Amino acid sequence: MVAGWFTGEGDDFRLLGTRCSACASVFFPREDHHCRNPDCGGGELAPVPLSRRGRVWSFTDSRYRPPSPYVTDPELSWEPCAFIAVELEPERMVVLGQAAPGITVAELAVGLEVEVVPGVLHEDAETTWTTWHWRPTGVTA
Amino acid sequence: MTEEVAVLGAGMHPWGKWGRNFTEYGVAAARAALIDAGLEWRDIGAIIGADTVRGGYPGYVAGATFAKALGWQGARVTSVYAACASGAQAIEAARAQILAGLADVVLVVGADAAPKGFFRPAGGDRPDDPDWLRFRILGATNPVYFGLYARRRMALHGDTPDDFAQVKVKNSAMGALNPFARYRGRVTAEEVAGSAVVADPLRLLDICATSDGGAAVVLSSMEFARGHGQAEPVRIRAVSTVTPRYPNTVLDLPEIATDSAVAVDPPEETFRRSITRTAYEEAGIGPEDLSLAEVYDLSTALELQWYEDLGLCGEGEGVKLLRDGATALGGRIPVNVSGGLASFGEAVPAQAIAQVCELSWQLRGEAGDRQVVGARVGITANQGLFGHGSAVIAVR
Ligand SMILES: [Zn+2]
């Protein structure tokens, strides 16, 4: 579906962006064709792992089932899903993601440290779609 | 400073869930605007349609659809898609044609019949579309983004959910006075607090609905206006349609991440601030000159953000401005006297035009019970998906 957005397993799991060889700009989701810095003549865009940890820029949740193309099982009742927008200091960027399962807005605060962990977006009989989740550090699943 | 164009006529179809074809709303609004201008459809040299996207292309929701419905008469046609900024870009296209001498009088129309429930992207597997991605990968609806902005304001400025509710209380009180608004009932803070949470901390009554609706304006050169017996018409003095500047460091719909500021420092002002500053500069006026403002209150919290981005108050002071009553009818700078999206709901390609309709009626002193006394200068502001900025300044 979207290839090459993350890599590794367990403690080595990382979001994968790209970095411009000319101006060092970082892009996520990965930019593979042209550097988007308007002052850059354009360099090679090479994959780069993003910081594993960051701080909560903001957070919210979705109390109602999102529409397609989000895939959910309509047979199951909708469980509110939390979202965390995370500020990555070295990259100076904010990356949005779902919170790890079980994490609710009650456990979150702006400025809290979180880390990226592997997660499952959806699975059916044939396929498991993997994704990334943000989880407060010190919390283990 | 750019030359001005005249607003000869303004018209709307009431907002609601009417269950009819969008063309009906657009044509009704267009005919109302023509009557308001004292012109016939055959007098119109160019028609500009503000579009929306259905099935992945702007297709039939376009300028020529309205021209056909009004009766083919050979007018020059333009179709504009810019998400929520479509209406403002349509007005910008009309102004450019008038100032370039390509047309003397132009009809601008926007209308939509919004689908039920959450907005969502067109079908198919389209992983190169950021709007499709945020739904597919994250299930991140529009209210999710509104919730993120609201929570960020709470953390940064100490805003509270009750402050947000007061925006709804204010806008619903003004929408109650507007016959074109979909919701005509006054809402209390208790009713907001009692409505279901949609995206923490925002509740159902903090977030605008989706609606059907239509709006149209007739624009002309100043020379045409005078020849038509309009010595002192409402005039459009600025249309801002700027894009963001790299790196855009505020998480904007429909993006999953911001630009990285690791190689280039962020610009001194945010995208939203640059939208309004550009309009002020083009008009040669400042926030202190405004009589009223119409802003995109997709959520109650977002209206507070616009106060600051319009320069009506300092950063973080939006709630204070609201609490002081400055943005209510009768206050120093009333905001969303039309009732705003809180009272209208979203009919995407029509709304930026509807904002200009409201300015026109206010500046002419024809806004009835919701009239801002002595209104001379008004601004609209909105932001469209994918980096479309929009602000219009009208004067009398
Ligand atoms: Zn570069």
Side-chain angles (χ1 to χ4, degrees), chain B residues 56-69:
Chain B
Y57 77 120
Y60 68 96
V61 194
T65 307
F66 300 121
K68 179 184 173 187

Side-chain angles (χ1 to χ4, degrees), chain B:
Chain B
M1 222 162 77
T2 318
E3 279 182 63
E4 298 172 333
V5 297
V7 185
L8 287 189
M12 269 195 220
H13 184 286
W15 257 234
K17 284 277 190 189
W18 305 102
R20 295 199 283 272
N21 186 286
F22 76 95
T23 316
E24 284 188 53
Y25 312 134
V27 168
R31 291 197 191 284
L34 287 166
I35 289 168
D36 192 40
L39 291 169
E40 302 287 336
W41 163 229
R42 280 204 179 272
D43 299 329
I44 298 297
I47 180 167
I48 317 232
D51 298 359
T52 192
V53 173
R54 290 286 164 75
Y57 77 120
Y60 68 96
V61 194
T65 307
F66 300 121
K68 179 184 173 187
L70 288 160
W72 297 126
Q73 50 89 322
R76 173 189 292 265
V77 64
T78 305
S79 297
V80 174
Y81 176 73
C84 281
S86 296
Q89 281 201 14
I91 286 169
E92 167 72 329
R95 178 176 75 151
Q97 290 183 6
I98 290 164
L99 295 182
L102 295 171
D104 288 328
V105 56
V106 182
L107 174 63
V108 181
V109 191
D112 199 12
K116 259 182 131 64
F118 289 117
F119 280 129
R120 59 178 173 187
D125 275 1
R126 293 176 299 101
D128 53 353
D129 171 3
D131 201 38
W132 184 87
L133 280 174
R134 58 136 168 169
F135 278 95
R136 179 67 184 88
I137 309 287
L138 296 175
T141 61
N142 292 8
V144 162
Y145 288 79
F146 307 154
L148 289 171
Y149 302 150
R151 175 60 62 180
R152 180 75 183 163
R153 286 194 63 86
M154 291 169 70
L156 240 53
H157 306 313
D159 295 10
T160 67
D162 187 59
D163 293 326
F164 302 151
Q166 291 303 329
V167 175
K168 178 71 170 194
V169 171
K170 170 183 75 73
N171 289 356
S172 70
M174 300 195 283
L177 307 173
N178 190 343
F180 292 109
R182 172 178 177 185
Y183 299 105
R184 303 289 308 281
R186 288 165 176 270
V187 174
T188 65
E190 291 71 30
E191 284 169 320
V192 180
S195 64
V197 175
V198 174
D200 173 273
L202 297 177
R203 295 173 178 274
L204 191 61
L205 293 180
D206 283 302
I207 293 170
C208 77
T210 62
S211 282
D212 297 359
V217 290
V218 176
L219 305 182
S220 81
S221 64
M222 290 305 296
E223 196 182 3
F224 183 97
R226 285 186 205 103
H228 192 63
Q230 294 265 353
E232 241 193 291
V234 169
R235 291 155 293 157
I236 288 179
R237 190 176 274 181
V239 185
S240 166
T241 57
V242 292
T243 50
R245 275 167 300 158
Y246 183 88
N248 188 8
T249 56
V250 177
L251 186 66
D252 273 335
L253 287 92
E255 306 296 342
I256 282 174
T258 63
D259 292 332
S260 158
V262 76
V264 182
D265 280 330
E268 277 177 29
E269 59 186 8
T270 62
F271 176 37
R272 268 194 291 271
R273 186 75 188 90
S274 74
I275 293 168
T276 61
R277 179 189 48 80
T278 304
Y280 287 137
E281 283 178 7
E282 191 170 284
I285 66 151
E288 65 283 359
D289 301 314
L290 295 176
S291 313
L292 75 154
E294 287 283 308
V295 307
Y296 245 44
D297 54 326
L298 294 164
S299 83
T300 49
L302 199 59
E303 177 170 315
L304 299 171
Q305 186 67 49
W306 277 116
Y307 295 173
E308 297 161 22
D309 295 330
L310 280 165
L312 305 181
C313 60
E315 197 185 328
E317 294 171 356
V319 164
K320 185 176 183 306
L321 198 69
L322 175 78
R323 284 187 189 150
D324 290 349
T327 58
L329 195 56
R332 176 167 66 76
I333 169 67
V335 177
N336 283 334
V337 281
S338 68
L341 294 177
S343 304
F344 275 73
E346 275 199 276
V348 172
Q351 191 62 28
I353 299 171
Q355 290 181 317
V356 174
C357 288
E358 179 67 14
L359 291 193
S360 304
W361 294 324
Q362 289 284 348
L363 296 174
R364 283 197 234 152
E366 294 174 359
D369 293 341
R370 63 182 195 285
Q371 180 65 46
V372 175
V373 177
R376 304 296 297 178
V377 182
I379 192 168
T380 72
N382 97 26
Q383 182 186 354
L385 228 57
F386 312 112
H388 293 106
S390 150
V392 177
I393 291 176
V395 300
R396 182 71 190 271

